[in-house]
Amino acid sequence: MNQSKYTQFLGLGVLLCGLLLTGCGGGGGGGDTPDPAKTVTVTGLASQESDALADAGTVVKVGDVTSVVFSPPKALGTGELYNFQITVPLTSSKGSFTQGSTVSEFPLTATPGVSLTAGTLDLGTVYVGTNSGICQVTGRVVNTKSEMVPSAIVKIGKFTTTTTADGTFSFAQAPAWFTTVTISASGYDTRTIVLDNPLTKSISNSLGDLRFQDDITDDPPPPPF
């Protein structure tokens, strides 16, 4: 082989190698592998509105990232169960389930526009179905004397918010179809309140006053002891 043909052969080999590396993401640090510092791994327990588990294969989608519900569910280190897992950007605020022809949304955060924290995020139970989705929730937390309770924690599933100085609270995003709300605050017994109706998707659900049943103090009880 003369020098000219050898040079052409070598150049063709280098070009082919470069194309192969480009196609498989070689030389680029892993191609589309998510950056752990910019993503959060979300887990949850997708359930039917009947509280049975969602069908295996139900599609979970957040932005351009997709996954599926699996069966049987797995257990977290805390013992809580989950049947879907998806790694998404920190800017994500909601996702969706597609089960057959039914598509229902679910929130990732109670406050859209605020970045999630890198690592892991467990959503707990989120519902799949025609009545499931994302809703807004407002209300006020008061004590037995109907006095407002500031800085109380209001919890719907795994989603929480805190009351303002006048005892009011709001969820810009909460999971629909929940039937209980839990309130807690320093000086009061934690209380879980059963709602008359499930939270309705796509609207603002006004819960009115959520009332602590007992006020706790450090004062001794009145006589007789």
Side-chain angles (χ1 to χ4, degrees):
M1 180 182 294
N2 61 37
Q3 183 67 31
S4 177
K5 289 184 178 180
Y6 175 78
T7 302
Q8 291 176 356
F9 178 77
L10 180 61
L12 181 61
V14 171
L15 176 61
L16 180 60
C17 181
L19 290 173
L20 288 173
L21 286 173
T22 301
C24 65
D32 296 328
T33 301
D35 182 350
K38 298 179 181 179
T39 59
V40 56
T41 298
V42 179
T43 60
L45 189 69
S47 297
Q48 310 278 13
E49 293 169 359
S50 63
D51 284 327
L53 293 180
D55 296 339
T58 295
V59 176
V60 186
K61 185 174 183 180
V62 177
D64 295 327
V65 185
T66 59
S67 184
V68 293
V69 169
F70 50 79
S71 182
K74 301 177 183 179
L76 297 168
T78 58
E80 295 182 270
L81 299 178
Y82 68 101
N83 60 2
F84 71 88
Q85 178 174 302
I86 186 168
T87 300
V88 301
L90 298 180
T91 52
S92 307
S93 65
K94 63 181 180 180
S96 66
F97 295 113
T98 301
Q99 183 173 266
S101 61
T102 301
V103 179
S104 49
E105 291 186 317
F106 61 92
L108 296 178
T109 172
T111 310
V114 177
S115 290
L116 301 171
T117 302
T120 59
L121 171 65
D122 180 46
L123 300 179
T125 298
V126 278
Y127 288 101
V128 178
T130 55
N131 297 306
S132 304
I134 297 175
C135 63
Q136 296 177 323
V137 182
T138 59
R140 187 175 71 154
V141 176
V142 298
N143 61 20
T144 55
K145 299 176 183 178
S146 295
E147 298 168 335
M148 56 193 177
V149 181
S151 301
I153 297 173
V154 183
K155 189 173 183 180
I156 299 173
K158 288 291 187 74
F159 296 82
T160 61
T161 191
T162 305
T163 58
T164 59
D166 62 358
T168 60
F169 67 87
S170 64
F171 287 85
Q173 288 192 154
W177 203 247
F178 270 76
T179 57
T180 60
V181 178
T182 299
I183 55 175
S184 59
S186 177
Y188 300 92
D189 280 328
T190 298
R191 184 185 179 200
T192 298
I193 299 168
V194 179
L195 305 176
D196 292 334
N197 298 294
L199 296 175
T200 305
K201 69 175 181 179
S202 302
I203 69 170
S204 182
N205 296 258
S206 177
L207 304 184
D209 286 350
L210 303 181
R211 192 180 307 275
F212 284 109
Q213 291 181 321
D214 299 298
D215 299 347
I216 303 173
T217 72
D218 293 327
D219 298 330
F225 298 104

